[in-house]
C-alpha cells in the first residue's frame, strides 16, 4: 500500500509493487476456487475450523444460557407452587362439600325413617332439630328449634328413627327443652316384648343407660329382651322401642332383681327428632249399628200380642244428655 495525495493509504495505489501483489492475490483466489471445485477440500477445512472454534463459542455463551435456565426454573417453580396451592384449596373445598353431602344424606335418611315410623304407627308428628345440649354431667337434656309458636307443648314424646328419646319438659316461644330417657328424673313405663312383664325404666344419670330396679325375683326378663313403651301414664304412646336389656343381677338383699338396659334411640347421634301427637279421637258416640234382616217393607205388621215384638225405639242426638 502507498500513500495517496491527501495522505491516506490506498490498496490500489499507482505503484508497481501494489499491482503485483493484487495480481498475486487474484491468482491465489482463482487457484483456491479451482482446487475447491475439483477436490472439495474447503468444506472440510471449514468444518475443522468450526469444530476448533465451537468450544470457545459454547464457553462464551454458557453464562447467558445458565442465566436463562435459572430464570425458567424459578418461574416454573413459582408457577408450580401457585398451582399446588390452588389444587390444595380445591381439594379442601371438595372434601368439605363431600362431607356436607354425606351429612345431608344421613339427615334425609333419618327424616325418612322418622316419617315412616310415624306413618306406620298412625301418629301425627312434628319434626324438630337439635340446636344445643345441656352440659350438666348429671342431666341429659337437649334444646330443640321448635317452641310454643309452632304448637309444641309440655309432655310431648320425642322419638328418632330407632326409638323413644324423651319428652318435652319446658316450652319457650321459639325453643323447647327435651329431657332424655337417660336423665335421672326420667321414668319410662315399659313392657318386655317377649314375656309381657311390665316395669319402669329410670334414667341412670351417671351414664347413657336405663335402670330397671326392684323387679320380682322370678320376673321373666332375660338379657337381650327388647323393651317397648307400655303406654301407661299417657305420656308415651305404646309400642315404641325403648331399650334392650344388657344385664340382670340380684340386689344386695337377694329379694329383687335389677336390670340394666341400653336405649334403642341414638341419643348422642340423632340431630333430628319427631315430636309425637296422638290422632284426634272421634267426637260423640259411635254411629248406631244397622238392623239385620230384610227390609221392614217386606215384613207385615206384627200381630197384636205377639211375644218378642220389639217396642218402638227412642232416638237421641249426639252430645245431649237425657
Amino acid at each position: 500500500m502507498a500513500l495517496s495525495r491527501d495522505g491516506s493509504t490506498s490498496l490500489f495505489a499507482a505503484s508497481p509493487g501494489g499491482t503485483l501483489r493484487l495480481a498475486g492475490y487474484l491468482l491465489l483466489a482463482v487457484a483456491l476456487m479451482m482446487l475447491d471445485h475439483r477436490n472439495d477440500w474447503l468444506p472440510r477445512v471449514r468444518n475443522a475450523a468450526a469444530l476448533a472454534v465451537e468450544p470457545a463459542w459454547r464457553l462464551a455463551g454458557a453464562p447467558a444460557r445458565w442465566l436463562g435456565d435459572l430464570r425458567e426454573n424459578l418461574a416454573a417453580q413459582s408457577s408450580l407452587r401457585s398451582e399446588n396451592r390452588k389444587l390444595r384449596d380445591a381439594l379442601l373445598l371438595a372434601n368439605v362439600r363431600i362431607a356436607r353431602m354425606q351429612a345431608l344424606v344421613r339427615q334425609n335418611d333419618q327424616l325418612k325413617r322418622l316419617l315412616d315410623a310415624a306413618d306406620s304407627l298412625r301418629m301425627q308428628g312434628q319434626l324438630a332439630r337439635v340446636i344445643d345440649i345441656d352440659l350438666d354431667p348429671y342431666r341429659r337434656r337437649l334444646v330443640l328449634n321448635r317452641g310454643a309458636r309452632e304448637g309444641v307443648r309440655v309432655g310431648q314424646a320425642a322419638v328418632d328413627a330407632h326409638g323413644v328419646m324423651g319428652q318435652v319438659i319446658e316450652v319457650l316461644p321459639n325453643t323447647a327443652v327435651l329431657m332424655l330417657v337417660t336423665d335421672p328424673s326420667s321414668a319410662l313405663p315399659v313392657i318386655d316384648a317377649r314375656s309381657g312383664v311390665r316395669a319402669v325404666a329410670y334414667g341412670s344419670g351417671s351414664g347413657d343407660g336405663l335402670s330397671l330396679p326392684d323387679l320380682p325375683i322370678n320376673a321373666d326378663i332375660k338379657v337381650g329382651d327388647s323393651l317397648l313403651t307400655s303406654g301407661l301414664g299417657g305420656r308415651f304412646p305404646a309400642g315404641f322401642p325403648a331399650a334392650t336389656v344388657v344385664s340382670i343381677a340380684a340386689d344386695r338383699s337377694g329379694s329383687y332383681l335389677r336390670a340394666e338396659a341400653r336405649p334403642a334411640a341414638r341419643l348422642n347421634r340423632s340431630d333430628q327428632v319427631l315430636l309425637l301427637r296422638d290422632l284426634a279421637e272421634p267426637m260423640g258416640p259411635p254411629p248406631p249399628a244397622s238392623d239385620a234382616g230384610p227390609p221392614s217393607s217386606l215384613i207385615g205388621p206384627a200381630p197384636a200380642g205377639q211375644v218378642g215384638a220389639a217396642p218402638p225405639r227412642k232416638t237421641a242426638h249426639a252430645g245431649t244428655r237425657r
Side-chain angles (χ1 to χ4, degrees):
M1 282 186 290
L3 292 175
S4 60
R5 294 181 178 179
D6 55 359
S8 61
T9 59
S10 176
L11 181 62
F12 303 100
S15 62
T19 303
L20 292 176
R21 280 195 300 273
L22 178 59
Y25 293 150
L26 292 174
L27 291 175
L28 179 60
V30 171
L32 291 175
M33 286 188 292
M34 292 178 65
L35 290 175
D36 181 52
H37 179 69
R38 289 184 178 183
N39 300 326
D40 197 17
W41 58 272
L42 190 59
R44 293 195 294 271
V45 174
R46 188 182 299 110
N47 292 335
L51 290 176
V53 175
E54 184 177 2
W57 174 79
R58 289 186 177 275
L59 183 61
R65 290 194 302 274
W66 293 342
L67 183 60
D69 294 341
L70 180 61
R71 290 177 180 176
E72 290 180 0
N73 292 335
L74 292 177
Q77 290 180 2
S78 178
S79 176
L80 288 176
R81 284 203 274 309
S82 177
E83 187 175 357
N84 286 338
R85 284 194 299 268
K86 292 180 180 178
L87 291 176
R88 284 196 300 267
D89 295 343
L91 180 61
L92 178 60
L93 182 60
N95 290 334
V96 171
R97 289 177 177 174
I98 291 174
R100 178 59 178 167
M101 291 177 63
Q102 292 175 348
L104 291 176
V105 169
R106 288 194 297 268
Q107 291 179 1
N108 290 338
D109 184 60
Q110 291 178 2
L111 292 176
K112 184 179 181 300
R113 291 183 180 180
L114 285 173
L115 296 177
D116 290 344
D119 292 340
S120 64
L121 294 173
R122 299 183 59 82
M123 301 291 294
Q124 291 181 347
Q126 181 181 15
L127 292 173
R129 183 168 55 88
V130 177
I131 59 175
D132 198 3
I133 60 174
D134 193 340
L135 298 179
D136 192 328
Y138 300 102
R139 297 196 300 183
R140 297 292 185 270
R141 299 180 184 182
L142 304 176
V143 180
L144 308 179
N145 68 335
R146 294 287 185 268
R149 293 182 179 178
E150 289 80 16
V152 179
R153 64 180 185 274
V154 174
Q156 278 188 260
V159 300
D160 68 356
H162 304 277
V164 176
M165 293 191 65
Q167 62 177 319
V168 177
I169 60 172
E170 183 180 355
V171 177
L172 299 176
N174 297 316
T175 58
V177 178
L178 176 66
M179 180 177 66
L180 300 178
V181 293
T182 53
D183 190 277
S185 301
S186 173
L188 178 64
V190 296
I191 183 172
D192 192 306
R194 179 186 58 83
S195 63
V197 174
R198 298 180 184 273
V200 178
Y202 297 94
S204 60
S206 59
D208 293 330
L210 297 174
S211 177
L212 286 75
D214 302 332
L215 295 173
I217 195 66
N218 60 347
D220 187 9
I221 294 182
K222 299 180 180 180
V223 174
D225 284 356
S226 297
L227 303 178
L228 308 178
T229 55
S230 64
L232 297 179
R235 286 291 186 182
F236 298 93
F240 276 94
T244 302
V245 178
V246 295
S247 66
I248 301 176
D251 62 0
R252 295 181 179 179
S253 65
S255 302
Y256 296 96
L257 295 178
R258 182 184 183 89
E260 301 294 333
R262 180 179 64 253
R266 297 182 179 180
L267 304 179
N268 297 328
R269 288 178 287 177
S270 295
D271 55 358
Q272 298 281 348
V273 301
L274 184 67
L275 301 176
L276 296 180
R277 294 176 180 172
D278 294 335
L279 291 176
E281 296 292 340
M283 300 298 294
S290 59
D291 295 333
S296 58
S297 61
L298 299 180
I299 303 175
Q306 182 178 355
V307 179
R313 295 182 179 179
K314 296 182 178 180
T315 59
H317 297 283
T320 62
R321 297 184 61 186
R322 297 185 182 274

